[in-house]
Structures are given as structure tokens and as C-alpha cells.
Amino acid sequence: MAATNIDRIVTFYKIANTTKRLFLLDTYAGLITDIVGGNIPNPRTFSNVRIFLTNQDKYGILENYPQNKIGKREIASKNFMMCVRTSMKKYLEDRSKEFFFEGCVLFYSMWEGYKKQENMKEFLKFMEEKGVKIISLHTSGHANKKDFDKLIKKIKPKIIAPVYTENSEWFKRYENCEIICDKNIIKI
């Protein structure tokens, strides 16, 4: 998942908290949640949120989080939930003698098309070889055709204004409304 997906981070934190697991964020995600602050699980104010380093060059960052830094031995000895990205493959490979991967679960929550990219293929293959069960569970703000159809049928809008689309013509299929795309109005 993307480190900027705050909603998903909060959801996973709640799961970690409920299952009495330590919640681990890499330095990038940890810095993002710290900046957002407030009720967002972050390594500065949440006692069960910790930063882990994927790159020793970032060790200085931990000086800002003295109560939350955690070493690899401590991580390996606890039950934890960790948010990962393909960029962490090397980190996980280096920890494969310390971490027990067998029986772990990886929730893949990104677009399925990324699985065709070489770095993602390698990452998922590595996880499978380590005995990690991979579950595809894509959750996104991007609706599919079926979801759009349900929404449009239910609310019967007079105007549809897609904010982000590569195919504004697709929306012509909805009757009895105006479609506003890229400053163009399509009357139907």
C-alpha cells in the first residue's frame, strides 16, 4: 500500500491494536503520520506504533523518536503488523534469517495491474517463497463500472462531473443528465 494512504494506515493500526500487535511503520510512513498527527497513529504519540529502518542512512531520523525506535531483534521477537511496499524487498531479504515469515499474511491492496511489473513480480515471488500467504484485497477510492452504475441509478443526478478520468466519453452512457468533463459539457 502507499504510505500516504492514511485511511488504510488507521484501519491497519486498529487491527494491530485489537490483536495486541505492535504496529510498525517504515521511516517514510512514520514521518507522514507524525506530520499529520492528531488521532492518526504515529510514532511520536502512540505507544504501540514504532518506526523501523529499511535504510541505515536514515538512522538520524530516529533521534526524533527516542521512545519509539525499535531494533531488528526486538521486531523479530514480537507479534507485529507491518506496512510494506515493494521497495522494502531488500530489507526483508536481509531480515529473512531473523523474521519468521512462514504463516504470515500479506494483504495486497493495490491495483492488480501492478502485479505485471517486474519489481512487483519479484517482491510477491519472494514473499511466496518465504511461506507468506498473499491475499488480494483491493480497496480504493476508484469505483468500477458496476459501482458507478449502482450509484447513478440510486441518486439519479442531473449533472455528473468526473474529477479524474482518462475517458470522459465513457460517461455518455448515463441518460437524463449533463456530463461535465475537462471543462467540456456533454449534453445527453
Side-chain angles (χ1 to χ4, degrees), residues 106-121:
L106 182 139
F107 289 99
Y108 178 89
S109 63
M110 297 185 348
W111 177 56
E112 289 294 311
Y114 292 136
K115 288 182 177 180
K116 295 176 184 169
Q117 295 177 353
E118 202 55 41
N119 65 336
M120 184 59 77
K121 283 184 197 176

Side-chain angles (χ1 to χ4, degrees), residues 19-24 47-48 50 68-82 98-100 104:
T19 60
K20 299 185 182 351
R21 294 172 189 266
L22 191 60
F23 188 60
L24 303 176
S47 63
N48 57 341
R50 302 285 195 280
N68 284 308
K69 70 178 153 182
I70 186 167
K72 59 187 175 185
R73 285 189 181 94
E74 190 180 350
I75 290 173
S77 69
K78 295 188 180 281
N79 285 328
F80 61 87
M81 179 178 250
M82 173 186 280
E98 299 154 8
F99 288 0
F100 185 68
C104 291

Side-chain angles (χ1 to χ4, degrees), residues 6 24 36-37 39 45 47 62 76 112 128 131 139 141 145 158 180:
I6 302 298
L24 303 176
V36 173
N39 300 3
T45 60
S47 63
L62 291 182
E112 289 294 311
E128 285 174 341
T139 52
K145 177 185 176 288
K158 293 187 182 346
I180 302 173

Side-chain angles (χ1 to χ4, degrees), residues 17-63:
N17 203 31
T18 300
T19 60
K20 299 185 182 351
R21 294 172 189 266
L22 191 60
F23 188 60
L24 303 176
L25 296 169
D26 67 293
T27 47
Y28 180 63
L31 289 170
I32 289 171
T33 59
D34 183 29
I35 289 167
V36 173
N39 300 3
I40 305 304
N42 68 78
R44 186 175 305 276
T45 60
F46 282 63
S47 63
N48 57 341
V49 176
R50 302 285 195 280
I51 285 182
F52 66 94
L53 295 176
T54 56
N55 181 337
Q56 291 304 314
D57 294 343
K58 296 180 180 180
Y59 191 80
I61 290 172
L62 291 182
E63 291 176 7

Side-chain angles (χ1 to χ4, degrees), residues 2-182:
T4 54
N5 193 324
I6 302 298
D7 288 347
R8 208 164 295 162
I9 287 174
V10 170
T11 299
F12 283 130
Y13 167 77
K14 287 177 180 178
I15 294 167
N17 203 31
T18 300
T19 60
K20 299 185 182 351
R21 294 172 189 266
L22 191 60
F23 188 60
L24 303 176
L25 296 169
D26 67 293
T27 47
Y28 180 63
L31 289 170
I32 289 171
T33 59
D34 183 29
I35 289 167
V36 173
N39 300 3
I40 305 304
N42 68 78
R44 186 175 305 276
T45 60
F46 282 63
S47 63
N48 57 341
V49 176
R50 302 285 195 280
I51 285 182
F52 66 94
L53 295 176
T54 56
N55 181 337
Q56 291 304 314
D57 294 343
K58 296 180 180 180
Y59 191 80
I61 290 172
L62 291 182
E63 291 176 7
N64 296 319
Y65 307 97
Q67 75 281 12
N68 284 308
K69 70 178 153 182
I70 186 167
K72 59 187 175 185
R73 285 189 181 94
E74 190 180 350
I75 290 173
S77 69
K78 295 188 180 281
N79 285 328
F80 61 87
M81 179 178 250
M82 173 186 280
C83 297
V84 298
R85 295 182 301 283
T86 56
S87 60
M88 296 178 189
K89 181 176 176 271
K90 173 82 171 106
Y91 172 81
L92 294 170
E93 284 174 334
D94 292 347
R95 303 296 163 300
S96 62
K97 290 183 178 136
E98 299 154 8
F99 288 0
F100 185 68
F101 289 86
E102 190 74 33
C104 291
V105 177
L106 182 139
F107 289 99
Y108 178 89
S109 63
M110 297 185 348
W111 177 56
E112 289 294 311
Y114 292 136
K115 288 182 177 180
K116 295 176 184 169
Q117 295 177 353
E118 202 55 41
N119 65 336
M120 184 59 77
K121 283 184 197 176
E122 290 174 14
F123 180 78
L124 294 174
K125 182 180 178 203
F126 166 76
M127 297 304 274
E128 285 174 341
E129 288 172 351
K130 292 295 177 191
V132 174
K133 180 179 181 178
I134 299 172
I135 297 174
S136 288
L137 187 63
H138 182 57
T139 52
S140 168
H142 300 280
N144 60 31
K145 177 185 176 288
K146 186 173 127 184
D147 293 335
F148 270 116
D149 288 346
K150 242 169 102 174
L151 178 68
I152 299 302
K153 183 179 179 182
K154 182 148 184 127
I155 64 171
K156 299 176 186 149
K158 293 187 182 346
I159 299 172
I160 299 174
V163 175
Y164 174 76
T165 183
E166 294 176 356
N167 184 6
S168 57
E169 296 295 312
W170 184 85
F171 290 90
K172 285 184 178 182
R173 55 199 240 100
Y174 297 112
E175 299 175 3
N176 303 320
C177 60
E178 288 183 316
I179 310 299
I180 302 173
C181 290
D182 304 323

